[in-house]
Each structure stands twice: as C-alpha cells, then as structure tokens.
C-alpha cells in the first residue's frame, strides 16, 4: 500500500461495500435461474460504477468535502434544500438499514456453513452479535488507515475464495462470453437485472467515496492516484460478481436444484464439486458480509454527517452515533426471524430504485460547484446521463412490475 505505483484505498472500500451477501445471493440466483445470459448487466454495472465513482472521487478531492456537504451547500433555495436533504436521508437510512441486516445475516450464514452448525442459545443466534461486534471493533478505532487496511485484507481473501470456486466449477466459456457481450432479457428477468445493477451501483457508495478520498488525498494532483485506485478496485469487484454468476450458472442452471437462500449455496455445491467448493463459497460469503458490515455504517455516517452539517471526523460523537445506530439496526434485523434472502433482496431492489435520485444529485453538483477545470466534460456528462437514463428505465419497470402493471 505504501508503493506509489499501486494506490489502493478509498475505491477498495467501495468494492468491499458492493460485494456483500446481497451480491452473492443476487448473483447466485441470476446464474441459477438464467444461466450466463445476464452477465451483460454486470458488465454495464461495472462501467456505470466507474463513471459515477470517478465523479464522486474527483468531487471529494477538489472540494475537500463529501457529496453530502456539496449537495447541502449547492441548494441555495431553502425549500429545495429541505427536499434534497429529506430524499438523501431517507434513501441512506432505509437502504443502509436493509443492507446492514442482509450483511450481518449473510456473514452469519457463511460461518454456519464453515462450522457446519449454528451458534444458538434457544431461539437466539449468536452469529449476528459476533459479526456486529467484529464490525464495531474495526469502526470504533476511529482510524481511517486501520479501517482501510482491514477492508483490503478482507477483499483480498474474498476475491481468492470466489475465484477459486469459479475455477473449480469449470464454466462454459462460449456461453460465458456470449452472456457477457450479447445483451438478452429472458422472461421474468427484469427485476433480476435491476437487482444486479442495484447490488453494484450502490447510492451510498457515492457518499462514501467522495468523503473517504478527502481523508486520504489532499491535493488536486492526487486525482490520478484516485483514478488508478478506481480502475484497479472496481473491476476487481466486477470480476468477483461475474465469477459468482458463472459459478451458479455452471452448477445450478437447468439442474433442478432449488436455491432459496445463501444457506443453500454451499451444501448444493458440495455434492457436485466436493467439500472444497462448499468451503470456499462459504468463506467468500463470510468475508463479503464482514466487509460490507463495516462499510455500510461508515457510508451512512459520512453521508448523513455531510448532508446534516455535522462533524464528519471518524472519532466524533455524531459520527459514532450514526454508524452505531445502523450497526445496531442491522443486528436487530438479522436476528428478527425474517428470511435473510428476503431482507437482502429488498435492499438490492430498493437501491436500484433509489440510485437515479442520488446519481442525478451527483451530476448536478458536478456541473454547479465551482470546480473550475475539474468540472465535468461534455463526454462525462453524456456518459453519466446515459447511466441515469438506463437506471431510470429499469427503476420504472421495477415499480410497474411491483404494482402489477407489467
């Protein structure tokens, strides 16, 4: 990490955030139900994430403020400011609370698969509490470098676990590349496409990235370092997602194997590919849950402290209160008796619907804040607008489907 030729940092936090249990479950269901045919949606998601996160990083470095602060200060009209703050706060609280419940649930399922039994006392499971305490210990340090290094280690271990599983299952490469580069939409796959995009292009990551780059880099000359970090970290996350879809397609598509939760994945892989495949998928699920259980509260704290004009220092009481509340909500949700797959799936679809709102805010800020020569170029505006239009169309289809209009 100290080598200037390999700058890993804030963008790896983004990868740790979007490769959570939601990604594992959503990508597994996509592969199990539709084979390789939806890989193109992940490719689009990776490109869209790079486009939006690059703007977020550039904003954070140039203004030395996060997206939340920039939205608040850019809204001069009091009514517009109230609307903007309300939308962002509701999106962050709902999205992160749902995500955090899924993160802790997914990590708990990973541990259950590794140890082959749940840690329970009566009807109470200890795994969510253990996962929550682990995340608490990392966050309470109040040290950005400690948090960053812990997440780099978890992402590295997670990457190894999922890529080994991908190799073990030996995917069909012809179908793999066809699904990756030739878009198709099988019947009933629209919500799955939205969920795949929602699990990759996550609204709160735009707040997390803009705030965290201002912690790590302090000069506009560091924009190139931030881009290098981005171009290494985000494709790595996309590769993991693609590996999960391909593993599920190879193992479960057309095999009449019923996958309804993350708890089904490892046991279903073992008879087909041996205990090693089951172990690595469980290890990957655990790392995905832990890493996202740290980044979701962190992102919520950065976003809400910025938009509400509170102190955004990691060791401030306001900052700790927000991430602590999200962490506690996650533990409660994960221990509430709801099926984890329902909690995680809701979070993915909710983020797919909320994403256009936050992305429009970002695009607007990048063209109104006095960034001088670092404002968006015409090409960047065109690409960002295209991403927003696509997400708006997918969100509209999701809502119409939910209300039975499709």
């Amino acid at each position: 990490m100290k080598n200037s030729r390999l700058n890993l940092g804030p963008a790896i936090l983004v990868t740790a955030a979007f490769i959570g249990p939601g990604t594992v479950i959503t990508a597994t269901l996509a592969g199990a139900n539709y084979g390789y045919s939806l890989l193109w949606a992940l490719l689009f998601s990776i490109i869209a994430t790079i486009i939006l996160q690059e703007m977020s990083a550039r904003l954070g470095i140039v203004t030395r403020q996060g997206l939340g602060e920039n939205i608040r200060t850019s809204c001069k009209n009091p009514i517009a400011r109230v609307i903007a703050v309300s939308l962002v706060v509701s999106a962050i609280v709902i999205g992160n609370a749902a995500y955090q419940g899924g993160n802790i649930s997914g990590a708990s399922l990973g541990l259950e698969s590794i140890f082959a039994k749940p840690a329970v006392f009566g009807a109470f499971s200890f795994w969510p509490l253990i996962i929550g305490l682990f995340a608490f210990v990392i966050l309470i340090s109040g040290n950005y470098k400690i948090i960053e290094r812990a997440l780099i280690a978890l992402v590295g271990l997670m990457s190894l676990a999922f890529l080994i599983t991908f190799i073990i299952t030996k995917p069909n490469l012809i179908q793999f590349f066809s699904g990756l580069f030739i878009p198709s939409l099988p019947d009933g796959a629209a919500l799955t496409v939205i969920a795949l995009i929602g699990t990759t292009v996550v609204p709160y990551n735009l707040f997390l990235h803009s705030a965290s780059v201002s912690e790590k880099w302090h000069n506009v000359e560091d924009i190139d370092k931030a881009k290098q970090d981005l171009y290494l970290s985000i494709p790595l996350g996309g590769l993991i997602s693609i590996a999960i879809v391909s593993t599920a397609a190879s193992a479960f598509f057309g095999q009449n194997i019923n996958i309804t939760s993350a708890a089904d994945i490892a046991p279903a892989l073992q008879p087909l590919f041996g205990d090693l495949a089951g172990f690595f998928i469980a290890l990957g699920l655990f790392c995905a849950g832990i890493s996202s259980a740290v980044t979701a509260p962190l992102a919520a704290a950065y976003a809400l402290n910025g938009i509400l004009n509170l102190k955004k220092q990691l060791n401030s009481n306001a900052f700790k209160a927000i991430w602590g509340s999200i962490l506690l909500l996650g533990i409660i949700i994960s221990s509430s008796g709801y099926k984890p797959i329902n909690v995680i799936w809701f979070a993915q679809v909710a983020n797919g619907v909320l994403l256009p709102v936050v992305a429009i805010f970002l695009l607007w800020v990048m063209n109104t804040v006095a960034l001088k020569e670092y404002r968006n170029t015409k090409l960047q505006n065109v690409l960002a607008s295209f991403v927003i239009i696509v997400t708006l169309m997918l969100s509209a289809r999701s809502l119409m489907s939910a209300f039975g209009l499709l």
Side-chain angles (χ1 to χ4, degrees):
M1 290 182 290
K2 294 180 180 179
N3 188 336
S4 61
R5 291 174 296 176
L6 185 61
N7 292 291
L8 289 178
I12 208 74
L13 271 66
V14 174
T15 297
F18 78 73
I19 302 294
T23 297
V24 179
I25 292 177
T26 304
T28 298
L29 291 174
N33 295 328
Y34 304 105
Y36 302 91
S37 62
L38 299 184
L39 285 176
W40 63 269
L42 282 176
L43 183 59
F44 166 79
S45 299
I46 297 163
I47 296 171
T49 299
I50 291 173
I51 291 170
L52 296 179
Q53 296 295 160
E54 187 278 332
M55 291 195 300
S56 177
R58 183 159 32 97
L59 178 71
I61 292 175
V62 175
T63 66
R64 296 297 313 282
Q65 291 183 324
L67 177 58
E69 293 98 314
N70 278 293
I71 290 174
R72 175 174 47 78
T73 56
S74 297
C75 291
K76 304 301 183 182
N77 185 292
I79 296 176
R81 182 179 298 174
V82 170
I83 293 173
V85 170
S86 300
L87 282 172
V88 171
V89 169
S90 61
I92 294 300
V93 171
I94 293 172
N96 277 271
Y99 251 119
Q100 191 66 354
N103 293 333
I104 295 175
S105 297
S108 300
L109 290 172
L111 285 177
E112 288 182 13
S113 297
I114 291 171
F115 292 102
K117 61 179 180 179
V120 296
F121 179 75
F124 180 78
S125 173
F126 284 103
W127 287 133
L129 183 59
I130 293 170
I131 300 300
L133 286 174
F134 187 93
F136 177 84
V137 168
I138 294 175
L139 289 168
I140 199 64
S141 69
N143 187 308
Y144 176 77
K145 287 186 177 180
I146 291 175
I147 296 171
E148 180 184 88
R149 290 174 182 178
L151 291 171
I152 287 174
L154 286 169
V155 169
L157 185 58
M158 175 172 59
S159 304
L160 187 65
F162 285 126
L163 292 176
I164 288 175
T165 310
F166 170 79
I167 293 169
I168 291 173
T169 55
K170 299 178 181 178
N172 185 311
L173 294 181
I174 294 176
Q175 295 178 17
F176 172 87
F177 286 109
S178 176
L180 191 63
F181 295 113
I182 303 176
S184 64
L185 190 64
D187 291 340
L191 281 179
T192 302
V193 169
I194 294 170
L196 286 173
I197 294 174
T199 198
T200 308
V201 194
V202 183
Y204 68 72
N205 276 344
L206 298 172
F207 295 90
L208 174 63
H209 201 187
S210 59
S212 58
V213 292
S214 66
E215 293 270 357
K216 186 178 181 71
W217 293 303
H218 309 297
N219 301 303
V220 292
E221 291 79 12
D222 293 324
I223 288 177
D224 287 340
K225 294 180 181 178
K227 288 182 179 180
Q228 184 187 80
D229 174 34
L230 182 74
Y231 298 149
L232 286 171
S233 300
I234 303 304
L236 174 61
L239 184 62
I240 295 171
S241 297
I242 289 170
I244 297 169
V245 172
S246 302
T247 295
S250 177
F252 307 134
F253 182 60
Q255 300 297 318
N256 293 319
I257 297 174
N258 188 28
I259 301 295
T260 59
S261 77
D264 299 330
I265 301 172
L269 280 174
Q270 287 171 349
L272 298 171
F273 303 102
D275 292 341
L276 197 61
F279 170 79
F280 278 113
I281 202 75
L283 178 63
L285 181 60
F286 166 70
C287 292
I290 285 285
S291 61
S292 294
V294 173
T295 51
L298 185 66
Y302 274 130
L304 295 189
N305 275 269
I307 199 73
L308 297 176
N309 196 26
L310 304 173
K311 289 183 178 180
K312 71 170 186 175
Q313 286 82 3
L314 287 168
N315 57 2
S316 73
N317 290 332
F319 199 93
K320 291 178 181 177
I322 292 175
W323 66 249
S325 298
I326 295 295
L327 186 58
L328 181 60
L329 279 172
I331 294 172
I332 293 171
I333 291 173
S334 64
S335 305
S336 63
Y338 288 106
K339 292 183 178 180
I341 191 167
N342 293 332
V343 176
I344 298 171
W345 183 263
F346 168 78
Q348 305 312 311
V349 175
N351 268 324
V353 173
L354 293 169
L355 172 64
V357 176
V358 181
I360 289 170
F361 273 138
L362 175 62
L363 181 60
W364 173 60
V365 168
M366 293 304 295
N367 286 278
T368 57
V369 175
L371 297 179
K372 298 180 181 178
E373 67 268 29
Y374 300 102
R375 289 165 62 94
N376 268 10
T377 64
K378 289 183 180 180
L379 177 60
Q380 287 168 331
N381 281 331
V382 168
L383 292 174
S385 298
F386 176 73
V387 170
I388 291 170
I389 290 170
V390 171
T391 56
L392 280 169
M393 292 171 59
L394 291 172
S395 296
R397 180 156 186 165
S398 173
L399 291 173
M400 293 174 69
S401 177
F403 285 103
L405 300 177
L406 282 178

